[in-house]
Coordinates of all heavy atoms in Angstrom, one line a residue:
M1 N -11.9 -24.5 -24.8 CA -11.2 -23.4 -25.4 C -9.7 -23.5 -25.1 O -9.4 -23.5 -23.9 CB -11.8 -22.1 -24.9 CG -11.2 -20.8 -25.4 SD -11.7 -20.3 -27.1 CE -13.4 -20.1 -27.0
I2 N -8.9 -23.5 -26.1 CA -7.5 -23.5 -26.0 C -7.0 -22.0 -26.0 O -7.4 -21.3 -26.9 CB -6.8 -24.3 -27.1 CG1 -7.2 -25.8 -27.0 CG2 -5.3 -24.2 -27.0 CD1 -6.7 -26.6 -28.2
L3 N -6.2 -21.7 -25.0 CA -5.7 -20.3 -24.9 C -4.2 -20.4 -24.9 O -3.6 -21.2 -24.2 CB -6.1 -19.6 -23.6 CG -7.6 -19.6 -23.3 CD1 -7.9 -19.1 -21.9 CD2 -8.3 -18.8 -24.3
T4 N -3.5 -19.6 -25.7 CA -2.1 -19.6 -25.8 C -1.5 -18.3 -26.2 O -2.1 -17.5 -26.9 CB -1.6 -20.7 -26.8 OG1 -0.1 -20.7 -26.8 CG2 -2.0 -20.5 -28.2
T5 N -0.3 -18.0 -25.7 CA 0.4 -16.8 -26.1 C 1.2 -16.9 -27.4 O 1.6 -16.0 -28.0 CB 1.4 -16.4 -25.0 OG1 2.3 -17.4 -24.7 CG2 0.7 -16.0 -23.7
T6 N 1.3 -18.2 -27.8 CA 2.0 -18.4 -29.1 C 1.1 -18.2 -30.3 O -0.1 -18.1 -30.1 CB 2.5 -19.9 -29.1 OG1 1.4 -20.8 -29.1 CG2 3.5 -20.1 -28.0
N7 N 1.6 -18.1 -31.5 CA 0.8 -17.8 -32.7 C 0.3 -19.1 -33.3 O -0.4 -19.0 -34.4 CB 1.6 -17.0 -33.7 CG 1.9 -15.6 -33.1 OD1 1.1 -15.0 -32.4 ND2 3.1 -15.1 -33.4
S8 N 0.7 -20.2 -32.8 CA 0.2 -21.5 -33.3 C 0.0 -22.5 -32.2 O 0.5 -22.2 -31.0 CB 1.1 -22.1 -34.4 OG 2.4 -22.3 -33.8
I9 N -0.7 -23.6 -32.4 CA -0.9 -24.6 -31.4 C -0.3 -25.9 -31.9 O -0.8 -26.4 -32.9 CB -2.4 -24.7 -31.1 CG1 -3.0 -23.4 -30.7 CG2 -2.6 -25.8 -30.0 CD1 -4.5 -23.4 -30.6
E10 N 0.7 -26.4 -31.2 CA 1.4 -27.6 -31.7 C 0.4 -28.7 -31.8 O -0.4 -29.0 -30.9 CB 2.5 -27.9 -30.7 CG 3.4 -29.0 -31.2 CD 4.6 -29.3 -30.3 OE1 5.0 -28.3 -29.6 OE2 5.1 -30.4 -30.3
G11 N 0.4 -29.4 -32.9 CA -0.5 -30.6 -33.1 C -1.8 -30.2 -33.7 O -2.7 -31.1 -33.9
F12 N -2.1 -28.9 -33.9 CA -3.4 -28.5 -34.4 C -3.2 -27.6 -35.6 O -2.2 -26.8 -35.7 CB -4.2 -27.7 -33.4 CG -4.7 -28.6 -32.2 CD1 -3.9 -28.7 -31.1 CD2 -5.9 -29.3 -32.3 CE1 -4.3 -29.5 -30.0 CE2 -6.3 -30.1 -31.2 CZ -5.5 -30.2 -30.1
K13 N -4.1 -27.6 -36.5 CA -4.1 -26.8 -37.7 C -5.2 -25.7 -37.6 O -6.3 -26.0 -37.3 CB -4.3 -27.6 -39.0 CG -4.3 -26.7 -40.2 CD -4.5 -27.6 -41.5 CE -4.7 -26.8 -42.8 NZ -3.7 -25.9 -43.1
I14 N -4.8 -24.4 -37.7 CA -5.8 -23.3 -37.7 C -6.5 -23.3 -39.0 O -5.9 -23.1 -40.1 CB -5.1 -22.0 -37.4 CG1 -4.4 -22.0 -36.0 CG2 -6.1 -20.8 -37.5 CD1 -3.6 -20.8 -35.6
A15 N -7.8 -23.5 -38.9 CA -8.6 -23.5 -40.1 C -9.1 -22.1 -40.5 O -9.3 -21.9 -41.7 CB -9.9 -24.5 -39.9
D16 N -9.3 -21.3 -39.5 CA -9.9 -19.9 -39.8 C -9.5 -19.0 -38.7 O -9.6 -19.3 -37.6 CB -11.4 -20.0 -40.0 CG -12.0 -18.9 -40.7 OD1 -11.3 -18.0 -41.2 OD2 -13.3 -18.7 -40.6
Y17 N -9.2 -17.8 -39.2 CA -8.9 -16.6 -38.2 C -10.2 -15.8 -38.2 O -10.7 -15.3 -39.2 CB -7.8 -15.8 -38.7 CG -6.4 -16.5 -38.6 CD1 -6.0 -17.3 -39.7 CD2 -5.6 -16.4 -37.5 CE1 -4.8 -18.0 -39.6 CE2 -4.4 -17.0 -37.4 CZ -4.0 -17.9 -38.5 OH -2.8 -18.5 -38.4
L18 N -10.8 -15.7 -37.0 CA -12.1 -15.1 -36.8 C -12.1 -13.6 -36.4 O -13.1 -12.9 -36.5 CB -12.9 -15.9 -35.8 CG -13.1 -17.4 -36.2 CD1 -13.7 -18.2 -35.1 CD2 -13.8 -17.5 -37.5
G19 N -11.0 -13.2 -35.9 CA -10.9 -11.8 -35.5 C -10.2 -11.6 -34.2 O -9.9 -12.5 -33.4
I20 N -9.9 -10.3 -33.9 CA -9.2 -10.0 -32.6 C -10.3 -9.9 -31.5 O -11.4 -9.3 -31.8 CB -8.4 -8.7 -32.8 CG1 -7.3 -8.8 -33.8 CG2 -7.9 -8.2 -31.4 CD1 -6.6 -7.6 -34.1
V21 N -10.0 -10.4 -30.4 CA -10.9 -10.4 -29.2 C -10.2 -9.8 -28.0 O -9.0 -9.9 -27.9 CB -11.5 -11.8 -28.9 CG1 -12.5 -12.2 -29.9 CG2 -10.4 -12.8 -28.7
T22 N -11.0 -9.2 -27.2 CA -10.4 -8.6 -26.0 C -11.2 -8.9 -24.8 O -12.4 -9.3 -24.9 CB -10.3 -7.0 -26.1 OG1 -11.6 -6.5 -26.2 CG2 -9.4 -6.6 -27.2
G23 N -10.6 -8.8 -23.6 CA -11.3 -9.0 -22.3 C -10.7 -7.9 -21.4 O -9.5 -7.9 -21.2
V24 N -11.5 -7.1 -20.8 CA -11.0 -6.1 -19.9 C -11.8 -6.1 -18.6 O -13.0 -6.3 -18.6 CB -11.1 -4.6 -20.5 CG1 -10.7 -3.6 -19.6 CG2 -10.4 -4.6 -21.9
A25 N -11.1 -6.0 -17.5 CA -11.7 -6.0 -16.2 C -10.9 -5.1 -15.3 O -9.7 -4.9 -15.4 CB -11.8 -7.4 -15.6
I26 N -11.7 -4.4 -14.4 CA -11.1 -3.5 -13.5 C -11.6 -3.8 -12.1 O -12.8 -4.2 -11.9 CB -11.3 -2.1 -13.9 CG1 -10.5 -1.1 -13.0 CG2 -12.8 -1.7 -13.8 CD1 -10.5 0.3 -13.5
N27 N -10.8 -3.7 -11.1 CA -11.2 -3.9 -9.7 C -12.1 -2.7 -9.3 O -11.8 -1.6 -9.5 CB -10.0 -4.0 -8.8 CG -10.4 -4.3 -7.4 OD1 -11.5 -4.6 -7.1 ND2 -9.5 -4.1 -6.4
D28 N -13.2 -3.1 -8.6 CA -14.1 -2.0 -8.2 C -14.1 -1.9 -6.6 O -14.9 -1.3 -6.0 CB -15.5 -2.2 -8.7 CG -16.0 -3.6 -8.5 OD1 -15.4 -4.4 -7.8 OD2 -17.1 -3.9 -9.0
E29 N -13.2 -2.7 -6.0 CA -13.1 -2.6 -4.5 C -12.0 -1.6 -4.1 O -11.0 -1.5 -4.8 CB -12.7 -4.0 -4.0 CG -13.7 -5.1 -4.3 CD -13.1 -6.5 -3.8 OE1 -12.1 -6.5 -3.1 OE2 -13.7 -7.4 -4.2
T30 N -12.3 -0.9 -3.1 CA -11.3 0.1 -2.6 C -10.1 -0.6 -1.9 O -10.3 -1.5 -1.1 CB -12.0 1.0 -1.6 OG1 -13.1 1.7 -2.2 CG2 -11.0 2.1 -1.1
L31 N -8.9 -0.2 -2.3 CA -7.7 -0.8 -1.7 C -7.1 0.3 -0.8 O -6.4 1.2 -1.4 CB -6.7 -1.3 -2.7 CG -7.2 -2.4 -3.6 CD1 -6.2 -2.7 -4.7 CD2 -7.5 -3.6 -2.8
S32 N -7.3 0.3 0.4 CA -6.8 1.3 1.3 C -5.4 1.0 1.8 O -5.1 -0.2 2.0 CB -7.7 1.6 2.5 OG -7.9 0.4 3.2
V33 N -4.6 2.0 2.0 CA -3.3 1.9 2.5 C -3.4 2.0 4.0 O -3.9 2.9 4.6 CB -2.3 3.0 2.0 CG1 -0.9 2.8 2.6 CG2 -2.3 2.9 0.5
G34 N -2.9 1.0 4.7 CA -2.8 1.0 6.2 C -1.4 1.1 6.7 O -0.6 1.7 6.0
F35 N -1.2 0.6 7.8 CA 0.1 0.7 8.4 C 1.1 -0.3 7.9 O 2.3 -0.2 7.9 CB 0.1 0.6 10.0 CG -0.6 1.7 10.6 CD1 -1.8 1.6 11.2 CD2 0.0 3.0 10.7 CE1 -2.5 2.6 11.8 CE2 -0.6 4.0 11.3 CZ -1.9 3.9 11.8
S36 N 0.6 -1.4 7.3 CA 1.4 -2.5 6.8 C 1.5 -2.4 5.2 O 0.5 -2.7 4.5 CB 0.8 -3.8 7.2 OG 1.5 -4.9 6.6
Q37 N 2.6 -2.1 4.7 CA 2.8 -2.1 3.3 C 2.7 -3.5 2.7 O 2.2 -3.7 1.6 CB 4.2 -1.5 2.9 CG 4.3 0.0 3.0 CD 3.5 0.7 1.9 OE1 2.3 0.7 2.0 NE2 4.2 1.2 1.0
S38 N 3.2 -4.5 3.4 CA 3.1 -5.9 2.9 C 1.7 -6.3 2.8 O 1.3 -7.0 1.8 CB 3.9 -6.8 3.8 OG 3.3 -6.9 5.1
K39 N 0.8 -5.9 3.7 CA -0.6 -6.3 3.6 C -1.3 -5.6 2.4 O -2.1 -6.1 1.7 CB -1.4 -5.9 4.9 CG -1.1 -6.9 6.0 CD -2.0 -6.5 7.2 CE -1.6 -7.4 8.4 NZ -2.4 -7.1 9.6
Y40 N -0.9 -4.3 2.2 CA -1.4 -3.6 1.0 C -0.9 -4.2 -0.3 O -1.8 -4.4 -1.2 CB -0.9 -2.1 1.1 CG -1.3 -1.3 -0.1 CD1 -2.6 -0.9 -0.3 CD2 -0.3 -0.8 -1.0 CE1 -3.0 -0.2 -1.4 CE2 -0.7 0.0 -2.0 CZ -2.0 0.3 -2.2 OH -2.4 1.1 -3.3
Y41 N 0.3 -4.6 -0.4 CA 0.8 -5.3 -1.6 C 0.1 -6.6 -1.8 O -0.2 -7.0 -3.0 CB 2.3 -5.4 -1.6 CG 3.1 -4.1 -1.6 CD1 4.2 -3.9 -0.9 CD2 2.7 -3.1 -2.4 CE1 4.9 -2.7 -0.9 CE2 3.3 -1.9 -2.5 CZ 4.5 -1.7 -1.7 OH 5.1 -0.5 -1.7
K42 N -0.2 -7.3 -0.7 CA -0.9 -8.6 -0.8 C -2.3 -8.4 -1.4 O -2.8 -9.1 -2.2 CB -0.9 -9.3 0.5 CG -1.7 -10.6 0.6 CD -1.0 -11.7 -0.1 CE -1.7 -13.0 0.1 NZ -2.0 -13.7 -1.1
K43 N -2.9 -7.3 -0.9 CA -4.3 -7.0 -1.4 C -4.3 -6.7 -2.9 O -5.1 -7.1 -3.6 CB -4.9 -5.7 -0.6 CG -5.4 -6.1 0.7 CD -6.0 -4.8 1.3 CE -6.5 -5.0 2.7 NZ -7.1 -3.8 3.3
I44 N -3.2 -5.9 -3.3 CA -3.1 -5.6 -4.8 C -2.9 -6.9 -5.5 O -3.5 -7.1 -6.6 CB -2.0 -4.6 -5.0 CG1 -2.4 -3.2 -4.5 CG2 -1.7 -4.5 -6.5 CD1 -1.3 -2.2 -4.6
Q45 N -2.0 -7.8 -5.1 CA -1.7 -9.0 -5.8 C -3.0 -9.9 -5.9 O -3.3 -10.4 -6.9 CB -0.7 -9.8 -5.0 CG -0.3 -11.1 -5.7 CD 0.7 -11.9 -4.9 OE1 1.2 -11.4 -3.9 NE2 1.1 -13.1 -5.3
D46 N -3.8 -10.0 -4.8 CA -5.0 -10.8 -4.8 C -6.0 -10.2 -5.7 O -6.7 -10.9 -6.5 CB -5.6 -10.9 -3.4 CG -4.7 -11.7 -2.4 OD1 -3.9 -12.5 -2.9 OD2 -5.0 -11.6 -1.2
S47 N -6.1 -8.8 -5.7 CA -7.0 -8.1 -6.6 C -6.6 -8.4 -8.1 O -7.5 -8.6 -8.9 CB -7.0 -6.6 -6.3 OG -7.8 -6.0 -7.2
V48 N -5.4 -8.3 -8.4 CA -4.9 -8.5 -9.8 C -5.3 -9.9 -10.2 O -5.8 -10.2 -11.3 CB -3.4 -8.3 -10.0 CG1 -2.9 -8.8 -11.3 CG2 -3.1 -6.8 -9.8
D49 N -5.1 -10.9 -9.4 CA -5.5 -12.3 -9.7 C -7.0 -12.4 -10.0 O -7.3 -13.1 -11.0 CB -5.1 -13.2 -8.5 CG -3.6 -13.4 -8.4 OD1 -2.8 -13.1 -9.3 OD2 -3.2 -13.9 -7.3
K50 N -7.8 -11.8 -9.2 CA -9.3 -11.9 -9.4 C -9.7 -11.2 -10.7 O -10.4 -11.7 -11.5 CB -10.0 -11.3 -8.2 CG -10.0 -12.1 -7.0 CD -10.7 -11.3 -5.9 CE -10.4 -12.0 -4.5 NZ -11.0 -11.2 -3.4
V51 N -9.1 -10.0 -10.9 CA -9.4 -9.2 -12.1 C -8.9 -9.9 -13.4 O -9.6 -9.9 -14.4 CB -8.8 -7.8 -12.0 CG1 -9.0 -7.0 -13.3 CG2 -9.5 -7.0 -10.8
K52 N -7.8 -10.5 -13.3 CA -7.2 -11.2 -14.4 C -8.2 -12.4 -14.9 O -8.4 -12.6 -16.0 CB -5.8 -11.8 -14.1 CG -5.2 -12.5 -15.3 CD -3.8 -13.0 -14.9 CE -4.0 -14.1 -13.9 NZ -3.0 -15.1 -13.7
E53 N -8.7 -13.1 -13.9 CA -9.6 -14.2 -14.2 C -10.9 -13.7 -14.9 O -11.4 -14.3 -15.8 CB -10.0 -15.0 -12.9 CG -8.9 -15.8 -12.4 CD -8.3 -16.8 -13.4 OE1 -9.1 -17.4 -14.1 OE2 -7.1 -16.9 -13.5
R54 N -11.4 -12.5 -14.4 CA -12.6 -11.9 -15.0 C -12.3 -11.5 -16.5 O -13.1 -11.6 -17.4 CB -13.1 -10.7 -14.2 CG -13.7 -11.2 -12.9 CD -14.5 -10.2 -12.1 NE -14.5 -8.8 -12.6 CZ -14.1 -7.8 -11.8 NH1 -13.7 -8.0 -10.6 NH2 -14.1 -6.6 -12.3
A55 N -11.1 -10.9 -16.7 CA -10.7 -10.5 -18.0 C -10.6 -11.7 -19.0 O -11.0 -11.6 -20.1 CB -9.4 -9.7 -18.0
F56 N -10.0 -12.8 -18.5 CA -9.9 -14.0 -19.3 C -11.3 -14.6 -19.6 O -11.5 -15.1 -20.7 CB -9.0 -15.0 -18.7 CG -7.6 -14.9 -19.1 CD1 -6.6 -14.3 -18.4 CD2 -7.2 -15.5 -20.3 CE1 -5.3 -14.2 -18.8 CE2 -5.9 -15.4 -20.8 CZ -4.9 -14.7 -20.0
Q57 N -12.2 -14.5 -18.7 CA -13.6 -15.0 -18.9 C -14.2 -14.2 -20.0 O -14.9 -14.7 -20.9 CB -14.4 -15.0 -17.6 CG -15.7 -15.7 -17.7 CD -15.6 -17.1 -18.1 OE1 -14.9 -17.9 -17.5 NE2 -16.3 -17.5 -19.2
A58 N -14.1 -12.8 -19.9 CA -14.6 -12.0 -21.0 C -14.0 -12.3 -22.3 O -14.7 -12.3 -23.3 CB -14.4 -10.5 -20.6
L59 N -12.7 -12.5 -22.4 CA -12.0 -12.8 -23.6 C -12.6 -14.1 -24.2 O -12.9 -14.2 -25.4 CB -10.5 -13.0 -23.3 CG -9.6 -13.4 -24.5 CD1 -9.3 -12.2 -25.4 CD2 -8.3 -14.0 -24.0
T60 N -12.7 -15.1 -23.4 CA -13.2 -16.4 -23.8 C -14.7 -16.3 -24.3 O -15.0 -16.8 -25.4 CB -13.2 -17.4 -22.7 OG1 -11.8 -17.5 -22.2 CG2 -13.7 -18.8 -23.1
N61 N -15.5 -15.5 -23.6 CA -16.9 -15.3 -24.0 C -17.0 -14.6 -25.4 O -17.8 -15.0 -26.2 CB -17.7 -14.5 -23.0 CG -17.9 -15.3 -21.7 OD1 -17.8 -16.5 -21.7 ND2 -18.2 -14.6 -20.6
N62 N -16.1 -13.6 -25.6 CA -16.1 -12.9 -26.9 C -15.6 -13.8 -28.0 O -16.2 -13.7 -29.1 CB -15.2 -11.7 -26.8 CG -15.8 -10.6 -25.9 OD1 -17.0 -10.5 -25.7 ND2 -15.0 -9.8 -25.3
A63 N -14.7 -14.7 -27.7 CA -14.2 -15.6 -28.8 C -15.3 -16.6 -29.1 O -15.5 -17.0 -30.3 CB -12.9 -16.3 -28.3
K64 N -16.0 -17.1 -28.1 CA -17.1 -18.1 -28.3 C -18.2 -17.5 -29.2 O -18.8 -18.2 -30.0 CB -17.6 -18.6 -27.0 CG -16.8 -19.6 -26.3 CD -17.4 -20.0 -24.9 CE -16.5 -20.9 -24.2 NZ -17.1 -21.3 -22.9
A65 N -18.4 -16.2 -28.9 CA -19.5 -15.5 -29.7 C -19.1 -15.5 -31.2 O -20.0 -15.4 -32.1 CB -19.7 -14.1 -29.2
L66 N -17.9 -15.5 -31.5 CA -17.4 -15.6 -32.9 C -17.4 -17.0 -33.5 O -17.0 -17.2 -34.7 CB -16.0 -14.9 -33.1 CG -16.0 -13.4 -32.8 CD1 -14.5 -12.9 -32.9 CD2 -16.9 -12.6 -33.7
G67 N -17.6 -18.0 -32.6 CA -17.5 -19.4 -33.1 C -16.1 -20.0 -32.9 O -15.9 -21.0 -33.5
A68 N -15.3 -19.4 -32.2 CA -13.9 -19.8 -32.0 C -13.8 -21.0 -31.0 O -14.7 -21.1 -30.1 CB -13.0 -18.7 -31.5
N69 N -12.8 -21.8 -31.2 CA -12.5 -22.9 -30.2 C -11.1 -22.7 -29.6 O -10.6 -23.6 -28.9 CB -12.8 -24.3 -30.7 CG -12.0 -24.6 -32.0 OD1 -11.2 -23.8 -32.4 ND2 -12.2 -25.8 -32.5
A70 N -10.5 -21.6 -30.0 CA -9.1 -21.3 -29.5 C -8.8 -19.9 -29.7 O -9.4 -19.2 -30.5 CB -8.1 -22.2 -30.2
I71 N -7.9 -19.4 -28.8 CA -7.4 -18.0 -29.0 C -5.8 -18.1 -29.0 O -5.2 -18.7 -28.1 CB -7.8 -17.1 -27.8 CG1 -9.4 -17.2 -27.7 CG2 -7.3 -15.7 -28.0 CD1 -9.9 -16.5 -26.4
V72 N -5.2 -17.5 -30.0 CA -3.8 -17.5 -30.1 C -3.2 -16.1 -30.0 O -4.0 -15.1 -30.1 CB -3.3 -18.1 -31.4 CG1 -3.7 -19.6 -31.5 CG2 -3.8 -17.4 -32.6
G73 N -1.9 -16.0 -29.7 CA -1.3 -14.7 -29.6 C -1.7 -13.8 -28.5 O -1.8 -12.6 -28.6
I74 N -2.1 -14.4 -27.4 CA -2.6 -13.6 -26.3 C -1.5 -12.7 -25.6 O -0.4 -13.2 -25.4 CB -3.2 -14.6 -25.2 CG1 -4.4 -15.3 -25.7 CG2 -3.5 -13.8 -23.9 CD1 -5.0 -16.3 -24.8
K75 N -1.9 -11.5 -25.4 CA -1.1 -10.5 -24.7 C -1.9 -10.0 -23.5 O -3.1 -9.8 -23.6 CB -0.8 -9.3 -25.7 CG -0.2 -9.7 -27.0 CD 1.3 -10.0 -26.8 CE 2.0 -10.2 -28.2 NZ 2.5 -11.5 -28.4
I76 N -1.2 -9.9 -22.4 CA -1.8 -9.4 -21.2 C -1.1 -8.1 -20.7 O 0.1 -8.0 -20.7 CB -1.6 -10.5 -20.1 CG1 -2.2 -11.8 -20.5 CG2 -2.3 -10.0 -18.8 CD1 -1.7 -13.0 -19.7
E77 N -2.0 -7.2 -20.4 CA -1.5 -5.9 -19.8 C -2.1 -5.7 -18.5 O -3.4 -5.8 -18.3 CB -1.8 -4.7 -20.7 CG -1.1 -4.8 -22.1 CD -1.4 -3.5 -22.9 OE1 -1.7 -2.5 -22.4 OE2 -1.2 -3.7 -24.1
I78 N -1.3 -5.4 -17.5 CA -1.8 -5.1 -16.1 C -1.3 -3.8 -15.7 O -0.1 -3.5 -15.8 CB -1.3 -6.2 -15.1 CG1 -1.8 -7.6 -15.6 CG2 -1.8 -5.9 -13.7 CD1 -1.2 -8.7 -14.8
E79 N -2.2 -2.9 -15.2 CA -1.8 -1.6 -14.8 C -2.7 -1.2 -13.6 O -3.8 -1.7 -13.4 CB -1.9 -0.6 -15.9 CG -3.2 -0.4 -16.5 CD -3.2 0.5 -17.7 OE1 -3.0 0.1 -18.8 OE2 -3.5 1.7 -17.4
L80 N -2.1 -0.3 -12.8 CA -2.9 0.3 -11.7 C -3.4 1.7 -12.2 O -2.6 2.5 -12.8 CB -2.0 0.5 -10.5 CG -1.7 -0.7 -9.7 CD1 -0.8 -0.4 -8.5 CD2 -2.9 -1.4 -9.2
T81 N -4.6 2.0 -12.0 CA -5.1 3.3 -12.4 C -4.6 4.3 -11.4 O -3.9 4.0 -10.4 CB -6.7 3.3 -12.3 OG1 -7.1 3.1 -10.9 CG2 -7.3 2.3 -13.2
T82 N -4.8 5.6 -11.6 CA -4.3 6.6 -10.7 C -4.8 6.5 -9.3 O -4.2 7.0 -8.4 CB -4.6 8.0 -11.3 OG1 -6.0 8.1 -11.5 CG2 -3.8 8.3 -12.6
T83 N -6.0 5.8 -9.2 CA -6.6 5.6 -7.8 C -6.3 4.2 -7.3 O -7.0 3.7 -6.4 CB -8.1 5.9 -7.9 OG1 -8.6 5.1 -8.9 CG2 -8.4 7.3 -8.1
N84 N -5.3 3.6 -7.8 CA -4.8 2.2 -7.4 C -5.8 1.1 -7.6 O -5.8 0.2 -6.8 CB -4.3 2.3 -5.9 CG -3.0 3.0 -5.8 OD1 -2.2 3.1 -6.8 ND2 -2.7 3.4 -4.6
Y85 N -6.6 1.2 -8.6 CA -7.5 0.1 -9.0 C -6.8 -0.7 -10.1 O -6.5 -0.2 -11.1 CB -8.8 0.6 -9.5 CG -9.7 1.2 -8.5 CD1 -10.0 2.6 -8.5 CD2 -10.3 0.5 -7.5 CE1 -10.8 3.2 -7.6 CE2 -11.1 1.0 -6.5 CZ -11.4 2.4 -6.6 OH -12.2 2.9 -5.6
P86 N -6.5 -2.0 -9.8 CA -5.9 -2.8 -10.8 C -6.8 -3.0 -12.0 O -8.0 -3.3 -11.9 CB -5.7 -4.2 -10.1 CG -5.6 -3.8 -8.7 CD -6.6 -2.7 -8.5
M87 N -6.3 -2.9 -13.2 CA -7.0 -3.1 -14.5 C -6.2 -4.1 -15.3 O -5.0 -4.0 -15.4 CB -7.2 -1.8 -15.2 CG -8.0 -2.0 -16.5 SD -8.3 -0.5 -17.3 CE -6.8 -0.2 -18.2
V88 N -6.9 -5.1 -15.9 CA -6.3 -6.1 -16.7 C -6.9 -6.1 -18.1 O -8.2 -6.1 -18.2 CB -6.4 -7.5 -16.1 CG1 -5.8 -8.5 -17.0 CG2 -5.7 -7.5 -14.7
S89 N -6.1 -6.0 -19.1 CA -6.6 -6.1 -20.5 C -5.9 -7.3 -21.2 O -4.7 -7.4 -21.1 CB -6.3 -4.8 -21.2 OG -6.6 -4.9 -22.6
V90 N -6.7 -8.1 -21.8 CA -6.2 -9.3 -22.5 C -6.7 -9.3 -23.9 O -7.9 -9.1 -24.2 CB -6.7 -10.6 -21.8 CG1 -6.1 -11.8 -22.4 CG2 -6.5 -10.6 -20.3
T91 N -5.8 -9.5 -24.8 CA -6.1 -9.4 -26.3 C -5.5 -10.6 -27.0 O -4.4 -11.1 -26.6 CB -5.5 -8.1 -26.9 OG1 -6.0 -7.0 -26.2 CG2 -5.9 -8.0 -28.4
G92 N -6.2 -11.1 -27.9 CA -5.7 -12.3 -28.7 C -6.5 -12.4 -30.0 O -7.4 -11.6 -30.3
T93 N -6.2 -13.4 -30.8 CA -6.8 -13.7 -32.1 C -7.7 -14.9 -31.9 O -7.2 -16.0 -31.6 CB -5.8 -13.9 -33.2 OG1 -5.0 -12.7 -33.3 CG2 -6.5 -14.1 -34.5
A94 N -9.0 -14.8 -32.1 CA -9.9 -15.9 -32.1 C -9.7 -16.7 -33.3 O -9.7 -16.2 -34.4 CB -11.3 -15.4 -31.9
V95 N -9.6 -18.0 -33.2 CA -9.4 -18.9 -34.3 C -10.3 -20.2 -34.2 O -10.7 -20.5 -33.1 CB -7.9 -19.3 -34.5 CG1 -7.0 -18.2 -34.7 CG2 -7.4 -20.1 -33.3
K96 N -10.5 -20.8 -35.3 CA -11.1 -22.1 -35.4 C -10.0 -23.1 -35.7 O -9.4 -23.0 -36.8 CB -12.2 -22.1 -36.4 CG -13.1 -23.3 -36.5 CD -14.0 -23.2 -35.3 CE -15.2 -24.2 -35.6 NZ -16.1 -24.2 -34.5
I97 N -9.8 -24.1 -34.8 CA -8.8 -25.1 -35.1 C -9.5 -26.4 -35.5 O -10.7 -26.6 -35.1 CB -7.9 -25.3 -33.9 CG1 -8.6 -25.7 -32.7 CG2 -7.0 -24.1 -33.7 CD1 -7.8 -26.1 -31.5
L98 N -8.9 -27.2 -36.3 CA -9.4 -28.5 -36.6 C -9.1 -29.5 -35.5 O -7.9 -29.6 -35.1 CB -8.8 -29.0 -37.9 CG -9.0 -28.1 -39.2 CD1 -8.3 -28.7 -40.4 CD2 -10.5 -28.0 -39.4
V99 N -10.1 -30.2 -35.0 CA -9.8 -31.1 -33.9 C -10.1 -32.5 -34.3 O -10.8 -32.8 -35.2 CB -10.7 -30.8 -32.6 CG1 -10.1 -29.6 -32.0 CG2 -12.1 -30.6 -33.0

């Protein structure tokens, strides 16, 4: 599966646009604030990295379900909920490219 933030893939021709796909993931682990702000920020950073991977996996699975072999125009949104749970939303267009 080719993933890109661009609207085309150099060297490949898009044969069919299959639809918009999304992948959303949220951290379900509690991130408590302790005495060390740097440790807290490190926990948030690590959490965002893990959640981002889960969101991309969901995005890829949704595109495969449509028969896609690539996703173009990917946009990523990362936010903290009011309770400091990192949430990642990834959106793109599932396409079939000629290989």
Side-chain angles (χ1 to χ4, degrees):
M1 177 77 60
I2 298 174
L3 307 173
T4 182
T5 58
T6 61
N7 293 324
S8 61
I9 304 169
E10 189 173 333
F12 293 93
K13 179 176 172 56
I14 295 175
D16 197 11
Y17 292 86
L18 304 173
I20 296 172
V21 288
T22 59
V24 178
I26 189 166
N27 181 16
D28 52 7
E29 298 174 14
T30 303
L31 298 175
S32 59
V33 178
F35 292 109
S36 173
Q37 284 289 75
S38 62
K39 285 183 183 178
Y40 176 68
Y41 293 141
K42 176 72 170 127
K43 283 183 182 180
I44 290 176
Q45 180 182 359
D46 292 343
S47 178
V48 167
D49 290 342
K50 289 177 190 174
V51 173
K52 183 181 67 158
E53 288 305 315
R54 289 193 351 239
F56 267 99
Q57 189 60 53
L59 177 79
T60 302
N61 291 342
N62 291 334
K64 284 179 183 177
L66 294 176
N69 59 359
I71 305 169
V72 297
I74 292 175
K75 304 284 187 244
I76 304 167
E77 293 184 25
I78 301 171
E79 60 184 86
L80 286 177
T81 65
T82 55
T83 53
N84 287 340
Y85 289 111
M87 183 175 79
V88 177
S89 174
V90 187
T91 306
T93 303
V95 297
K96 187 75 162 177
I97 57 173
L98 301 175
V99 287

